[in-house]
């Protein structure tokens, strides 16, 4: 499988990374180089093999559904590029 | 007091307890060594005030007879570990001037045991790289150089700052993280010891995430014993990381010096790769001879899916990275670039904040997870991963206690040498280490000797899950047989 310029633009938009037009072609080449190399996995017989879902054989631990943390909005907001009155500020998203 | 930087961690610990010198003296000796070594670019943030304050607290505790296991031991911390009140960037522009309001569990364990923070160490951006070239703070220099040459060499990556800091005597030990080889490859390139413990041994909480099912923290030190001491303090169950495993932490140090008589060491034929430098092949054979001489039984084994580990990794790791790195959106922390609307703001922020290698991996990861491609790539890679793990389970079930391999396919290369056109060439650095992450196993890199250019080469030992002790016993046999690595004298 390989990607074309339109795929690269679509992937970049899905990943929310703006890509100058001048970078599309080099990126297409690099991605296709990597995908071509990955293709060797098609030689592996994987029929009937379970995909790995947990590195160590363990059940994810459960805990009681209760509030265990919080109450420090100032700390949460301390690194925000733009914040006001305990809110993160972003460009307008609704008219 | 320059000689205080030449001590091993174990010697420093014993000397501090015996009041031969103070924590303040040992901290000052390291702070002045760090100042003189800025050209190496290992530390991207020095924290002398905090180091002196922590050392003073250590001295007070030693005086009261309340010394912890690492009391007064000065350490460097990879910039992937969140340190409360101390800038943490993962060496990415996108984190900007992020000051964590919390402490990672691993570093909290170190401070609980009395260790002292010297500063934050350089790494590849978001730990994506094998040369430390992708850091937004610039490359790190290896203290080693080829005989008769002044060309700057890479320390390996991603934990390049950690490896250089330990090899150049700029700390007594350092933390690293290892997703595909990021502790073991730089340890091999710098003549230091590095261990990636079993997945789940160290908490990932507060460690900047790259690929969550592969990431694991571990120590860099100058001796096997020091690695055992440091790993014990870093380890332990943490309810804040749901993949942290609730098992006891052994006193790893007691495994150092234990006999390996009768232990079965596997030699996997698939690690004999085409174009392997003869010196690496020779070192591998030599390592096997050393273990045999110490009473171990060598057995030829087969791990048939080895060659598929690296391509499968380059699906799994970018896929997980693309979702982990979705959080860098310019809203809650770090860099923000204004755009015409909110999507424009996201896109410009991420384009300006992520470097080229990170962007490439996020795009690959986004592609392999996108609608219509998930089964062909990600699902298949996770099945291959099951097969890789099964290969190891089979040989361990046959009675193999540990597996001996080379750590890297080459010694350290020049800065910029592999930064050329083909990213896959750089990826091949991890060919011997990445299988271990895919299977969640522990792996240690220990110096074995020098190549024809006078550069260090490492041997890797791979162990059963949660059996780091066998790795420490076996690695120490190699260390003893090879002789402690003589590290470069300062030219900086």
């Amino acid at each position: 499988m390989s990607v074309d310029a339109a795929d690269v633009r679509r992937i970049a938009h899905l990943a929310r990374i703006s890509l100058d037009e001048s970078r599309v072609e080099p990126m297409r080449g690099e991605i296709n180089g990597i995908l071509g190399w990955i293709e060797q996995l098609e030689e592996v017989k994987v029929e009937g093999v379970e995909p790995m879902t947990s590195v160590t054989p363990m059940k994810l631990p459960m805990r009681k559904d209760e509030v265990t943390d919080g109450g420090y909005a100032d700390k949460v907001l301390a690194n925000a590029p733009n914040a006001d009155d305990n809110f993160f500020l972003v460009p307008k998203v609704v008219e | 007091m320059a000689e205080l930087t030449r001590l091993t961690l174990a010697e420093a610990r014993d000397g501090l307890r015996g009041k031969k010198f103070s924590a303040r003296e040992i901290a000052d000796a390291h702070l002045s060594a760090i100042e003189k070594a800025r050209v190496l670019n290992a530390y991207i943030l020095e924290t002398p005030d905090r180091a002196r304050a922590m050392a003073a607290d250590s001295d007070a505790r030693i005086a009261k007879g309340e010394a912890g296991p690492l009391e007064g031991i000065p350490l460097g911390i990879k910039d992937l570990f969140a340190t409360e009140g101390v800038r943490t960037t993962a060496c990415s522009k996108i984190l900007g001037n992020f000051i964590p309001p919390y402490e990672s569990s691993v570093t909290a364990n170190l401070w609980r045991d009395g260790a002292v923070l010297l500063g934050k160490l350089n790494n590849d951006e978001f730990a994506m790289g094998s040369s430390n070239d992708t850091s937004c703070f610039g490359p790190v220099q290896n203290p080693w150089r080829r005989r008769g040459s002044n060309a700057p060499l890479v320390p390996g990556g991603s934990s390049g700052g950690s490896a250089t800091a330990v090899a150049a005597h700029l700390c007594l030990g350092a933390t690293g993280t290892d997703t595909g080889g990021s502790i073991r490859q730089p340890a091999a390139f710098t003549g230091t010891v590095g261990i990636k413990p079993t997945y789940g041994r160290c908490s990932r909480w507060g460690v900047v995430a790259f690929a969550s099912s592969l990431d694991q923290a571990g120590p860099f030190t100058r001796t096997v014993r020091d690695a055992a001491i440091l790993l014990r303090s870093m380890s332990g169950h943490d309810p804040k990381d749901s993949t942290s495993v609730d098992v006891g932490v052994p006193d790893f140090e007691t495994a150092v010096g234990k006999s390996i008589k009768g232990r079965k060491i596997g030699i996997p034929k698939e690690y004999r790769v085409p174009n392997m430098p003869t010196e690496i092949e020779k070192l591998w054979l030599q390592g096997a001879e050393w273990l045999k001489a110490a009473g171990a039984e060598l057995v030829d084994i087969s791990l048939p899916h080895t060659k598929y580990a690296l391509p499968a990794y380059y699906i799994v790791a970018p896929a997980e990275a693309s979702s982990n790195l979705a959080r860098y959106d310019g809203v809650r922390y770090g860099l923000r670039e204004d755009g015409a609307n909110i999507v424009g703001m996201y896109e410009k922020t991420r384009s300006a904040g992520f470097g080229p290698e990170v962007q490439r991996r996020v795009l690959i990861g986004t592609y392999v997870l996108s609608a219509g491609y998930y089964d062909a790539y990600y699902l298949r890679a996770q099945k291959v991963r099951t097969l890789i793990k099964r290969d190891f389970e089979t040989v361990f079930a046959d009675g193999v206690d540990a597996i001996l391999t080379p750590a890297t396919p080459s010694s350290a290369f020049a800065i910029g040498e592999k930064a050329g056109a083909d990213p896959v060439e750089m990826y091949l650095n991890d060919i011997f280490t990445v299988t271990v992450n895919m299977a969640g196993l522990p792996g240690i890199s220990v110096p074995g000797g020098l190549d024809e250019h006078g550069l260090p080469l490492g041997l890797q030992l791979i162990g059963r899950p949660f059996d780091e002790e066998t790795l420490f016993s076996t690695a120490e046999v190699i260390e003893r047989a090879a002789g402690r690595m003589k590290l470069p004298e300062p030219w900086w």
Side-chain angles (χ1 to χ4, degrees):
Chain A
M1 271 180 267
S2 63
V3 295
D4 60 20
D7 291 327
V8 172
R9 286 187 208 102
R10 182 181 59 88
I11 301 162
H13 180 62
L14 279 175
R16 298 289 185 265
I17 293 176
S18 83
L19 213 54
D20 283 348
E21 211 33 52
S22 65
R23 289 184 56 214
V24 170
E25 192 45 38
M27 188 63 87
R28 190 189 68 82
E30 288 165 17
I31 291 177
N32 282 336
I34 295 166
L35 292 177
W37 172 66
I38 283 170
E39 247 165 42
Q40 55 181 301
L41 291 180
E42 287 169 23
E43 300 161 23
V44 188
K45 287 200 181 70
V46 294
E47 291 74 33
V49 178
E50 283 294 309
M52 186 190 277
T53 49
S54 171
V55 187
T56 28
M58 63 184 273
K59 258 176 115 174
L60 276 186
M62 305 287 273
R63 68 162 176 84
K64 260 180 142 169
D65 185 13
E66 58 189 5
V67 177
T68 59
D69 200 6
Y72 40 71
D74 50 330
K75 266 173 126 178
V76 173
L77 289 160
N79 282 285
N82 200 351
D84 188 29
D85 194 22
N86 281 0
F87 286 95
F88 294 108
L89 295 190
V90 294
K92 201 169 162 185
V93 284
V94 281
E95 292 302 321
Chain B
M1 293 295 263
E3 65 275 16
L4 289 180
T5 62
R6 298 301 176 115
L7 299 173
T8 66
L9 194 156
E11 288 164 352
R13 172 191 63 183
D14 300 344
L16 283 162
R17 292 229 182 115
K19 301 196 176 68
K20 288 191 185 138
F21 39 79
S22 67
R24 178 61 197 261
E25 284 170 319
I26 202 162
D28 280 335
H30 282 91
L31 291 169
S32 107
I34 291 167
E35 232 174 85
K36 290 188 194 110
R38 284 187 184 143
V39 66
L40 299 177
N41 205 23
Y43 283 87
I44 49 147
L45 183 71
E46 298 167 21
T47 56
D49 295 343
R50 184 172 289 225
R52 291 192 181 103
M54 290 175 95
D57 291 347
S58 282
D59 283 329
R61 282 192 293 269
I62 293 167
K64 279 192 282 183
E66 293 168 4
L70 293 177
E71 201 64 64
I73 299 295
L75 302 176
I77 301 298
K78 186 177 185 180
D79 206 32
L80 238 60
F81 293 84
T83 40
E84 189 174 352
V86 176
R87 189 192 69 188
T88 301
T89 67
C91 297
S92 179
K93 276 197 292 194
I94 210 158
L95 268 163
N97 193 36
F98 179 65
I99 313 279
Y102 54 84
E103 187 77 30
S104 83
S105 296
V106 162
T107 48
N109 291 346
L110 295 172
W111 316 143
R112 171 204 67 202
D113 284 357
V116 169
L117 170 69
L118 290 169
K120 301 300 287 288
L121 295 166
N122 208 336
N123 51 254
D124 278 298
E125 183 180 4
F126 285 108
M128 296 181 194
S130 303
S131 61
N132 216 115
D133 279 341
T134 71
S135 164
C136 76
F137 295 99
V140 175
Q141 282 201 55
N142 195 326
W144 293 82
R145 290 160 156 186
R146 290 187 183 121
R147 206 178 284 122
S149 162
N150 285 338
L153 302 179
V154 304
S158 67
S159 313
S162 307
T164 281
V166 171
H169 299 95
L170 309 179
C171 56
L172 292 178
T175 62
T177 61
D178 190 317
T179 303
S182 285
I183 290 175
R184 290 157 290 153
Q185 182 252 21
F189 277 14
T190 55
T192 57
V193 178
I195 179 166
K196 180 203 94 74
T198 313
Y199 184 80
R201 181 62 97 180
C202 289
S203 171
R204 292 180 298 106
W205 194 83
V207 182
V208 176
F210 164 12
S212 304
S213 76
L214 301 158
D215 295 344
Q216 189 57 202
F220 281 88
T221 55
R222 292 191 287 267
T223 69
V224 174
R225 178 178 297 277
D226 289 359
I229 295 169
L230 201 47
L231 181 61
R232 185 192 183 189
S233 285
M234 291 170 72
S235 300
H237 177 239
D238 178 12
K240 287 189 283 195
D241 171 3
S242 62
T243 59
S244 160
V245 178
D246 193 2
V247 292
V249 180
D251 181 357
F252 295 122
E253 196 181 356
T254 61
V256 178
K258 258 200 190 143
S259 164
I260 58 159
K261 211 167 172 184
R263 291 309 192 93
K264 257 194 191 178
I265 307 293
I267 311 289
K269 64 172 189 219
E270 289 80 6
Y271 283 63
R272 207 160 278 120
V273 294
N275 306 324
M276 181 145 101
T278 46
E279 287 160 318
I280 292 190
E281 173 111 40
K282 252 168 62 187
L283 173 69
W284 191 13
L285 289 171
Q286 173 70 74
E289 283 306 313
W290 285 330
L291 298 182
K292 199 172 160 190
E297 182 195 342
L298 302 178
V299 285
D300 288 322
I301 58 166
S302 173
L303 300 164
H305 295 91
T306 298
K307 71 175 271 212
Y308 301 110
L310 202 56
Y313 173 87
Y314 274 95
I315 294 173
V316 175
E320 294 185 12
S322 74
S323 30
N324 272 328
L325 271 56
R327 73 189 71 186
Y328 303 102
D329 57 5
V331 174
R332 287 157 300 162
Y333 34 71
L335 182 77
R336 171 185 291 194
E337 293 282 320
D338 291 326
N341 51 36
I342 193 160
V343 173
M345 186 271 280
Y346 293 151
E347 293 190 340
K348 284 192 169 174
T349 297
R350 291 163 63 78
S351 180
F354 292 142
E357 180 62 24
V358 173
Q359 292 193 23
R360 189 152 54 222
R361 296 205 199 184
V362 168
L363 293 184
I364 290 269
T366 303
Y367 178 66
V368 300
L369 291 176
S370 65
Y373 297 100
Y374 178 88
D375 285 4
Y377 288 112
Y378 191 73
L379 194 67
R380 174 171 285 263
Q382 289 292 62
K383 288 179 179 176
V384 172
R385 207 173 161 186
T386 298
L387 294 171
I388 293 164
K389 190 166 183 239
R390 206 178 280 168
D391 285 353
F392 283 107
E393 285 165 354
T394 305
V395 299
F396 289 138
D398 288 344
V400 167
D401 294 296
I403 297 163
L404 179 73
T405 78
T408 57
S410 76
S411 60
F413 45 89
I415 292 179
E417 188 179 315
K418 294 193 183 185
D422 184 6
V424 174
E425 198 195 335
M426 185 68 92
Y427 298 170
L428 292 173
N429 264 287
D430 290 336
I431 189 163
F432 298 139
T433 48
V434 78
T435 50
V436 174
N437 302 77
M438 293 298 267
L441 302 172
I444 192 168
S445 174
V446 59
L450 302 179
D451 74 358
E452 57 170 333
H453 304 294
L455 297 179
L457 295 170
L459 285 166
Q460 174 179 238
L461 289 157
I462 303 168
R464 299 163 182 265
F466 296 102
D467 185 16
E468 288 85 358
E469 287 162 288
T470 295
L471 298 187
F472 286 125
S473 303
T474 316
E476 198 264 348
V477 168
I478 293 174
E479 181 180 60
R480 208 170 344 127
R484 264 269 304 281
M485 185 53 72
K486 201 179 165 304
L487 294 165
E489 287 305 314
W491 46 261
W492 48 88

